[in-house]
């Protein structure tokens, strides 16, 4: 009896073993190609706050749709100029790890002139490009060729506390003087409240904010066609005096000259300021359930001097392809997907950024969430590109340094701008 059962176990043991072996070989046959075919990984560097909505949203959607491609989002510093430095040094040193280039609108001329980017002109037809805001496309070209496709637009706007203004019977301001007057009046009524917040730190955000004030006074920085420099003109001095006055009169905090976008947003969002100059990304955050100013804010174009038009700085980000990338085809697939209507809708709905595709500003679902988007389309439409010159980074650095010196009182506005104009003319080969 014992012997018989041992023999049975042996018999079935062998049968079971053979069956398992067959199953395993089928499984290996089926799985092996998937195991050996590693997905192509596309590296993409962006600012840390940008990385989150990318990773949580459109990157996942893309990878589901294209399982053979992975997007490796690398989180970089939260300042466009620092991010640009990282890309620049990687390209200069050669052997750059980046396949896709997430580019601020101001980088196009420099990156294109340096030969770091693939020319995308033949990849997108005129009809395909016509769906984007013309400003964003203009900021994506260099010497007539296309080097980036806009993924999100941006434009400087003025936020105001609708509740505080209405309670005191004020309309939102239209001029610089009104902005100061309303600030002071509301600061008297509301203890521990600043009037106006702006980005005053020495970095690219300072320049983006300043070009709006400069334009509001009728001045200019650099004419990209003639390379004429307007920094030592009286309008530039008036623009700086306005900003200095905001601090002198206590309308803006003394620390404003050290603030980037996020510092100003946090103060505004905590309910401690009447006005804020920033980008549209602030809106969804300031309207979160946990925000003390939820439902209490308005948004409008920047103010100007009487009779002058309001300046709006065009910002925004787009994707280019590094010429050095070994994955040109996959990078193109990624750009096409990320700039598609489907991806942009999801991205905008989740992240609250400004669409680059014009039809999305009036999309029902988007407008239901961000009611001011139709109005924003006009603001973006009238926004102005910072000078599209290959030496932009150096020109901006000169302005940042001297503007900061004037705002922190280490030079008078006249001294600072005389020197800034001289250095800029030297840079651009103008006498
Ligand atoms: C935003 C804009 C960008 C600008 C930057 C300045 O990210 O989109 O164009 O250069 O702010 O801080």
């Amino acid at each position: 009896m014992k012997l018989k059962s041992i023999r049975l176990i042996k018999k079935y043991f062998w049968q079971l073993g053979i069956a398992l072996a067959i199953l395993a070989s089928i499984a290996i046959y089926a799985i092996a190609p998937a195991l050996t075919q590693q997905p192509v990984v596309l590296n993409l560097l962006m600012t840390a706050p940008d990385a989150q909505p990318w990773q949580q949203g459109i990157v996942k959607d893309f990878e589901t749709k294209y399982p053979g491609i992975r997007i490796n989002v690398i989180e970089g510093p939260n300042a466009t100029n620092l991010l640009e430095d990282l890309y620049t040094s990687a390209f200069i040193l050669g052997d750059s790890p980046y396949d896709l280039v997430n580019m601020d609108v101001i980088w196009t001329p420099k990156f294109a002139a340096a030969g770091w980017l693939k020319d995308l002109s033949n990849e997108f037809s005129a009809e395909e490009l016509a769906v984007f805001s013309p400003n964003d496309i203009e900021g994506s070209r260099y010497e007539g060729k296309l080097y980036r496709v806009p993924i999100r637009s941006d434009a400087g706007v003025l936020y105001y506390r609708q509740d505080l203004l209405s309670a005191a019977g004020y309309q939102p301001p239209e001029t610089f003087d009104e902005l100061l007057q309303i600030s002071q009046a509301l600061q008297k009524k509301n203890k521990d409240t600043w009037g106006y917040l702006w980005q005053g730190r020495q970095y690219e955000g300072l320049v983006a904010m300043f070009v709006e004030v400069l334009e509001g006074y009728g001045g200019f920085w650099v004419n990209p066609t003639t390379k004429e420099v307007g920094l030592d003109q009286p309008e530039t001095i008036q623009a700086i005096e306005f900003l200095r006055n905001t601090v002198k009169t206590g309308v803006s905090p003394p620390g404003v000259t050290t603030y980037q976008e996020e510092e100003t947003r946090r103060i505004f969002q905590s309910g401690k300021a009447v006005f804020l100059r920033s980008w549209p990304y602030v809106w969804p955050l300031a309207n979160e359930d946990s925000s003390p100013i939820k439902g209490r804010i308005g948004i409008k174009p920047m103010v100007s001097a009487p009779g002058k038009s309001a300046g709006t700085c065009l910002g925004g980000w787009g994707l280019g392809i590094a010429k050095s990338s070994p994955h040109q085809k996959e990078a193109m697939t990624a750009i096409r997907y990320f700039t598609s209507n489907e991806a942009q809708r999801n991205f905008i709905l989740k992240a609250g950024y400004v669409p680059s595709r014009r039809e999305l500003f009036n999309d029902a679902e988007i407008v239901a969430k961000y009611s001011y988007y139709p109005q924003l389309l006009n603001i973006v439409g009238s926004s102005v590109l910072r000078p599209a010159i290959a030496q932009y980074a150096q020109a901006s650095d000169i302005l940042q340094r001297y503007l900061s010196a004037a705002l922190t009182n280490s030079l008078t506005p006249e001294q600072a701008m005389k020197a800034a104009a001289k250095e800029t003319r030297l840079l651009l080969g103008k006498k």
Side-chain angles (χ1 to χ4, degrees), residues 151-396:
I151 178 100
R152 68 175 176 98
S153 192
D154 229 352
V157 287
L158 182 69
Y159 292 90
Y160 56 92
R161 285 285 300 278
Q162 179 70 68
D163 55 341
L164 300 185
L165 262 71
S166 303
Y170 286 112
Q171 290 296 316
E174 292 303 332
T175 64
F176 293 113
D177 284 347
E178 282 172 13
L179 178 73
L180 288 180
Q181 283 156 13
I182 301 175
S183 291
Q184 285 177 313
L186 292 182
Q187 281 179 279
K188 275 199 195 116
K189 282 182 189 284
N190 302 276
K191 289 266 160 291
D192 299 330
T193 303
W194 294 108
Y196 179 45
L197 300 171
W198 44 277
Q199 295 78 40
R201 192 193 185 117
Q202 186 182 322
Y203 80 121
E204 180 59 31
L206 171 67
V207 166
M209 177 282 308
F210 184 67
V211 293
E212 293 169 356
V213 181
L214 188 57
E215 212 192 313
Y217 277 101
F220 74 101
W221 173 15
V222 171
N223 178 321
T225 321
T226 61
K227 305 271 163 55
E228 210 184 320
V229 177
L231 291 180
D232 45 5
Q233 300 296 308
E235 293 85 1
T236 316
I237 307 301
Q238 286 177 326
I240 300 179
E241 286 298 0
F242 163 73
L243 291 171
R244 280 160 55 107
N245 261 339
T246 66
V247 181
K248 264 193 222 148
T249 52
V251 161
S252 302
V256 79
T257 50
T258 63
Y259 294 165
Q260 291 191 193
E261 284 88 349
E262 275 300 82
E263 286 85 7
T264 56
R265 178 187 66 84
R266 282 193 210 105
I267 300 176
F268 185 68
Q269 192 163 325
S270 70
K272 297 260 175 271
V274 185
F275 297 107
L276 162 73
R277 180 272 164 208
S278 194
W279 308 96
Y281 85 98
V282 169
W283 180 273
L285 299 174
N287 278 305
E288 272 173 357
D289 285 342
S290 60
S291 164
I293 57 167
K294 181 182 179 195
R296 298 169 177 216
I297 58 173
I299 195 169
K300 72 176 290 294
M302 253 310 274
V303 292
S304 64
K308 299 276 188 294
S309 51
T312 304
C313 177
L314 176 76
W317 296 77
L319 286 176
I321 300 179
K323 231 189 215 166
S324 54
S325 165
H327 308 302
Q328 300 281 321
K329 202 173 102 248
E330 291 81 1
M332 202 54 234
T333 306
I335 290 197
R336 282 204 169 278
Y337 178 76
F338 290 134
T339 57
S340 68
N341 180 299
E342 171 197 331
Q344 282 239 319
R345 283 186 89 253
N346 294 341
F347 186 48
I348 302 307
L349 280 168
K350 280 212 179 89
Y353 288 138
V354 183
S356 59
R357 285 182 163 260
R358 276 183 303 169
E359 78 257 27
L360 294 177
F361 284 87
N362 288 301
D363 177 281
E365 205 182 336
I366 290 181
V367 176
K369 199 160 177 197
Y370 312 116
S371 55
Y372 63 96
Y373 270 27
Q375 185 194 350
L376 206 54
L377 181 58
N378 296 332
I379 302 184
V380 170
S382 61
S383 59
V384 180
L385 202 58
R386 282 157 278 176
I389 48 173
Q391 308 92 325
Y392 181 83
Q394 291 107 300
S396 173

Side-chain angles (χ1 to χ4, degrees), residues 45-56 73 75-76 78 83 102 151-152 281 317 347 351 353:
L45 172 73
M46 60 180 66
T47 66
D50 265 14
Q52 266 193 2
W54 272 80
Q55 281 157 335
Q56 286 160 8
V73 176
E75 295 188 18
N78 184 22
L83 200 71
N102 183 40
I151 178 100
R152 68 175 176 98
Y281 85 98
W317 296 77
F347 186 48
Y353 288 138

